[in-house]
Amino acid sequence: MAVNRNFRTCPSTGLVYHEPAEALIRWNAVAGVVSLLVGGVLALLVTLTRWPAVRLLPPDWFYLVLTAHGLDMLVFWIIFFEIAVLYFAASTLLKCRLATPKVAWVAFWLMIVGAITNNVAVFKGDSSVMFTSYVPMGAHPLFYLGLILFAVGALVACFVFFGTLVVGKSEKTYNGSIPLVTFGAVTAAIIAVFTIAAGAIILIPTFMWSVGLVSHIDSLMYRTVWWAFGHSSQQINVAAHVSVWYAIAAIVFGAKPMSEKVSRTAFVLYILFLQLASAHHLLADPGLTSNWKIFNTSYAMYLAVLASMVHGLTVPGAIEVAQREKGFNKGLFEWLRKAPWGNPSFSGMFMSLVGFGFLGGISGVMMGTEQLNLIIHNTIYVPGHFHATVVVGTTLAFMALTYFLIPTLFRRELMFPAMAKWQTYVYGLGMMGFSVFMMGAGTLGVPRRHWDMAFSGAVLPHEFPGTAYLMMGLMAVSGILATVGGAMFLINTVGSVFLGKKIQTPGFARVSVKDGMAPAPTPEFAAPAVPAVHGSIGIGGFVAPGTFVLAMVFLTSFILYYFVNWKYLSTVWPLK
Amino acid sequence: MSAIQSPPQRVWWKQPLDRVEGTWIVIAFVWCMVMFFMMPYWHVYGKQNLSNEAYRSTPEAFLAKAQAMVDKHTVRTVTEQNIPVVHPVPGADVYLVARLWQWWPVLELEEGQTYRLHIMSTDWLHGFSLQPENINIQVHPGYEHVVTMTPTKEGTYSIICNEYCGINHHTMASKLYVVKPKKQ
């Protein structure tokens, strides 16, 4: 039984990989990327159909493809990759063995079977119910069964992650507290557990309803519980990609968090408040009182928003401090100008941070405000918002991390390094444009999940203004640009992983450890007992003045946009 | 130590804040408090708030009420399908049925008058979206939602469905006419 105790040290980064964990990280990442490939092809079809001048697919195919796109991207791509991140954050960063690799493989296969089952149900054509699958619109039982199997697998994987933390603790593979990135991953996993619990509460009865064992599911009850699952599942992504930001800041710059206390407390705020903030999906629904809506969205959401605003400062702040300590200490922005903009890990991460904050964050707060929601609910503004958060935020951060993982985890050189340099920009800018133009069209009332904004065949059609058509056209062009960026990523990563030049490993060390033992923690380079006082860097007593200025720019845009929307709301028909 | 290594201090919450972080947290918190108070503020002083008034109902009961209104207040019909256009008395209860894939009937309201609009779906979820005002409300089966609404400007408006409701979702559109009040 001693076979499973093998570790190797990555020669270039010094990271220690437990080999069974390494295999699991790889396979989960690969499954994620395959889902991204499927979802990406579907994304192109959706974009080309929503482009009014092209309208590629007929309606039945459009709704089918849109359903599959949502599930493959939001669920399968992201969660497979997140499981890889969890195993990496626990086993590699704590330098310990992965708890129960066999169980982790069971989890992996459950997720694979679930993902395939769900996709089969959708592609059969009788389950075009969208990602949200609102009852009483029904899907084939396999649709729900696939999701349930996948969720069970993901839940098991979370427990393998927690078990690994216990292993690391008891085998003393690290000193003191867990690293910040692992702490963020713990946040993501805790949110995942109660999210999946909420998913079970709603998906299991819905499955029984689909096979005829339950006669009626109340639509409002469904939406209420479903969103406890649906929104929280996106908060797993937020916690995960914020951890990835910190990880990349550490990997690329050797940046250390300005204050562990601040960054970790911000993660704790996510755990405490995000779940309740899911109530903001029900702001336009009947049967719930304003008190309930305001109570749940206001205090819970704003404390979660506060957490994101803190991370939005501390991640670039940590980079700025690291850069200034390296000597880029001139003026406000030398640290940023001299950043490695040609390194896709950095450029991807930085665009993810900016896009998530400016586009996703601000628009999210807008939609989560009870009254402002009235002028946005279910318009294409909503996908505009979540493409900024989930795609620019999470997917781009994961892409950035992948560029780091290919040499260290897959031990392959990038096949097309020049293409990688451009990829994050093409994808990031394409996606940002895509989100912004969707938001613009949504402000003009264009509905989401809608085959034809010209209402062909309708008895009393509505005519949208020309600007709305222009917005949708620009959206499609940006979407195509983003698809090109996505294809560049897939070609490069798939090519590198399977055909890339193997990295010669003279320093490659395989350490066999006795059963039940872990390697002694390698002495980390001597840390000062007291955190360094950054006396010599910064301006006016601020170690990160550039970041602070950027944060104030962010805040100003936020305040302006927020009140512009209130102004707009005040011009619509009085309602009560 | 960096974020991928254990913090230098065993007890991480004893590490002090940086000045830039402390300042930003205070500013961000104040802004969150402003947003926190905007919603209750608008409830008291703002004019656009969604109603809390909703009743459980059944398709039969709701259709019966809508039919009664149509029988009483139809002024004309539109399109080849003869969809009734209803001109109810200002201040009255107005019923709008959402169903696959139609809004029924067509409403004609008077500018500056207030109506109690009852909206319900008789089948699946639909989305009430009034264009170009861009007022958007979720419509559930079984929940009769009463929204008190005051059209402010005469003109022809559209009601479109913006909650996906199946293959002909894109044909679920209707009109709403706002006219000048009739001389008494």
Side-chain angles (χ1 to χ4, degrees):
Chain A
M1 291 301 285
V3 247
N4 280 348
R5 300 291 186 271
N6 288 332
F7 289 83
R8 74 169 179 91
T9 306
C10 170
S12 57
T13 57
L15 291 172
V16 175
Y17 287 96
H18 176 228
E19 290 201 325
E22 189 185 5
L24 279 154
I25 298 170
R26 283 183 186 192
W27 279 100
N28 276 286
V30 166
V33 170
V34 171
S35 314
L36 183 68
L37 171 65
V38 178
V41 172
L42 301 172
L44 186 62
L45 297 176
V46 171
T47 306
L48 290 176
T49 309
R50 287 235 61 176
W51 190 350
V54 177
R55 216 197 296 148
L56 183 73
L57 299 174
D60 51 343
W61 272 99
F62 171 71
Y63 293 123
L64 185 159
V65 161
L66 187 55
T67 305
H69 166 71
L71 288 158
D72 282 328
M73 292 303 213
L74 272 173
V75 182
F76 307 134
W77 143 244
I78 284 184
I79 294 182
F80 271 122
F81 200 90
E82 271 161 1
I83 300 299
V85 170
L86 287 186
Y87 292 160
F88 176 83
S91 147
T92 308
L93 295 186
L94 299 182
K95 302 183 188 66
C96 73
R97 65 187 172 84
L98 189 79
T100 60
K102 277 187 188 147
V103 177
W105 281 111
V106 172
F108 175 76
W109 285 111
L110 271 174
M111 288 165 75
I112 291 281
V113 171
I116 293 175
T117 309
N118 180 272
N119 266 292
V120 166
V122 173
F123 280 99
K124 272 183 352 146
D126 54 1
S127 301
S128 302
V129 290
M130 302 294 135
F131 177 65
T132 44
S133 54
Y134 292 138
V135 299
M137 179 182 284
H140 192 276
L142 283 180
F143 176 92
Y144 307 105
L145 188 65
L147 283 179
I148 292 168
L149 289 176
F150 185 86
V152 170
L155 190 62
V156 172
C158 287
F159 284 112
V160 172
F161 166 77
F162 291 127
T164 308
L165 297 181
V166 174
V167 168
K169 185 92 194 158
S170 63
E171 296 182 358
K172 296 192 174 55
T173 59
Y174 60 96
N175 291 315
S177 309
I178 54 174
L180 177 60
V181 173
T182 314
F183 192 88
V186 173
T187 310
I190 291 173
I191 299 173
V193 169
F194 55 70
T195 297
I196 294 171
I201 294 173
I202 200 61
L203 283 174
I204 292 172
T206 308
F207 169 68
M208 301 207 319
W209 169 75
S210 73
V211 293
L213 292 170
V214 169
S215 62
H216 174 72
I217 290 185
D218 183 82
S219 63
L220 184 59
M221 188 277 289
Y222 178 93
R223 266 173 63 83
T224 309
V225 185
W226 193 90
W227 278 112
F229 158 75
H231 199 85
S232 313
S233 64
Q234 305 318 313
Q235 311 298 356
I236 309 171
N237 308 340
V238 174
H241 78 228
V242 171
S243 307
V244 168
W245 293 346
Y246 280 112
I248 290 177
I251 290 161
V252 177
F253 298 96
K256 62 186 171 208
M258 288 196 283
S259 159
E260 295 275 353
K261 177 158 72 177
V262 170
S263 301
R264 287 177 196 234
T265 308
F267 275 123
V268 174
L269 286 179
Y270 281 154
I271 301 179
L272 295 178
F273 297 109
L274 281 179
Q275 187 84 342
L276 292 165
S278 304
H280 71 258
H281 285 274
L282 306 165
L283 295 174
D285 286 57
L288 300 164
T289 66
S290 295
N291 293 343
W292 185 87
K293 291 172 183 172
I294 290 180
F295 179 74
N296 280 301
T297 52
S298 62
Y299 90 98
M301 199 172 84
Y302 296 140
L303 289 171
V305 166
L306 181 66
S308 287
M309 285 172 82
V310 168
H311 288 305
L313 177 92
T314 55
V315 175
I319 294 175
E320 180 171 356
V321 170
Q323 285 280 79
R324 283 181 185 274
E325 282 174 344
K326 272 183 212 136
F328 301 117
N329 195 25
K330 257 189 284 167
L332 274 178
F333 295 113
E334 193 196 17
W335 63 277
L336 194 58
R337 276 201 319 276
K338 298 280 171 67
W341 292 102
N343 177 344
S345 289
F346 168 73
S347 60
M349 172 255 149
F350 202 80
M351 269 197 288
S352 157
L353 190 148
V354 171
F356 176 80
F358 276 85
L359 303 180
I362 295 177
S363 60
V365 167
M366 268 281 309
M367 300 195 309
T369 306
E370 196 210 3
Q371 295 92 348
L372 297 181
N373 186 266
L374 269 174
I375 52 174
I376 278 171
H377 180 76
N378 268 347
T379 65
I380 202 164
Y381 191 98
V382 179
H385 155 74
F386 70 69
H387 279 80
T389 55
V390 182
V391 188
V392 180
T394 309
T395 297
L396 194 54
F398 288 178
M399 284 177 171
L401 184 68
T402 306
Y403 287 116
F404 165 74
L405 289 179
I406 286 173
T408 168
L409 179 68
F410 290 91
R411 283 177 273 168
R412 300 275 189 167
E413 275 177 24
L414 264 188
M415 236 178 157
F416 312 106
M419 194 204 255
K421 218 180 256 187
W422 286 100
Q423 187 269 328
T424 49
Y425 293 102
V426 174
Y427 188 76
L429 295 175
M431 217 58 225
M432 285 185 203
F434 186 74
S435 304
V436 167
F437 295 126
M438 269 192 177
M439 289 180 204
T443 309
L444 297 168
V446 178
R448 68 190 292 198
R449 296 168 169 176
H450 200 271
W451 175 64
D452 179 19
M453 64 187 281
F455 301 90
S456 49
V459 185
L460 292 165
H462 174 64
E463 209 170 300
F464 279 106
T467 330
Y469 281 86
L470 176 70
M471 288 285 171
M472 294 300 280
L474 290 171
M475 174 206 82
V477 173
S478 319
I480 291 167
L481 189 65
T483 322
V484 170
M488 285 161 74
F489 173 79
L490 289 165
I491 291 167
N492 214 346
T493 48
V494 174
S496 305
V497 165
F498 292 105
L499 307 167
K501 194 176 151 213
K502 280 204 170 152
I503 290 174
Q504 298 304 317
T505 50
F508 179 79
R510 199 181 286 272
V511 189
S512 286
V513 184
K514 263 193 291 173
D515 191 17
M517 292 279 291
T522 43
E524 291 165 347
F525 43 93
V530 186
V533 184
H534 321 289
S536 54
I537 60 160
I539 297 169
F542 273 27
V543 286
T547 302
F548 192 76
V549 168
L550 294 179
M552 295 313 289
V553 171
F554 170 75
L555 186 73
T556 312
S557 338
F558 197 164
I559 293 173
L560 285 176
Y561 188 70
Y562 185 72
F563 285 112
V564 162
N565 277 287
W566 281 104
K567 175 83 183 111
Y568 175 42
L569 177 76
S570 72
T571 64
V572 308
W573 292 1
L575 298 164
K576 58 181 197 290
Chain B
M1 291 288 98
S2 79
I4 56 170
Q5 287 159 326
S6 292
Q9 285 165 316
R10 290 188 66 87
V11 188
W12 55 265
W13 63 85
K14 286 193 179 158
Q15 194 184 338
L17 267 69
D18 220 292
R19 186 189 291 180
V20 66
E21 287 176 314
T23 316
W24 175 244
I25 290 170
V26 170
I27 295 171
F29 186 74
V30 168
W31 171 237
C32 288
M33 286 297 106
V34 171
M35 296 192 293
F36 185 105
F37 286 111
M38 262 319 274
M39 285 195 264
Y41 169 84
W42 201 264
H43 251 271
V44 180
Y45 298 104
K47 289 204 177 74
Q48 292 80 10
N49 289 290
L50 200 52
S51 161
N52 287 323
E53 208 180 330
Y55 306 94
R56 275 184 189 278
S57 184
T58 59
E60 297 74 30
F62 192 75
L63 279 171
K65 287 194 266 186
Q67 189 65 55
M69 175 191 71
V70 167
D71 292 344
K72 212 167 154 194
H73 296 294
T74 299
V75 286
R76 61 178 190 276
T77 58
V78 285
T79 76
E80 289 164 359
Q81 299 176 3
N82 292 323
I83 305 168
V85 177
V86 180
H87 188 115
V89 210
D93 289 274
V94 180
Y95 296 86
L96 182 65
V97 180
R99 61 190 174 199
L100 301 172
W101 285 282
Q102 185 191 44
W103 298 97
W104 187 86
V106 174
L107 303 174
E108 187 177 273
L109 308 178
E110 292 177 13
E111 180 186 293
Q113 301 289 346
T114 301
Y115 297 86
R116 281 166 54 80
L117 178 66
H118 298 238
I119 336 170
M120 194 182 104
S121 158
T122 55
D123 39 51
W124 291 357
L125 278 172
H126 296 287
F128 172 94
S129 178
L130 183 76
Q131 296 300 332
E133 283 291 295
N134 213 3
I135 292 171
N136 303 281
I137 300 167
Q138 191 79 25
V139 185
H140 281 261
Y143 289 86
E144 184 176 335
H145 197 179
V146 190
V147 184
T148 308
M149 199 177 260
T150 316
T152 50
K153 198 164 174 285
E154 70 166 324
T156 302
Y157 294 81
S158 295
I159 298 170
I160 62 174
C161 177
N162 66 5
E163 182 63 82
Y164 168 66
C165 56
I167 192 87
N168 280 333
H169 173 43
H170 64 279
T171 61
M172 190 165 164
S174 178
K175 293 290 169 201
L176 186 146
Y177 303 104
V178 179
V179 294
K180 290 271 187 216
K182 283 181 193 157
K183 296 266 156 46
Q184 294 292 315

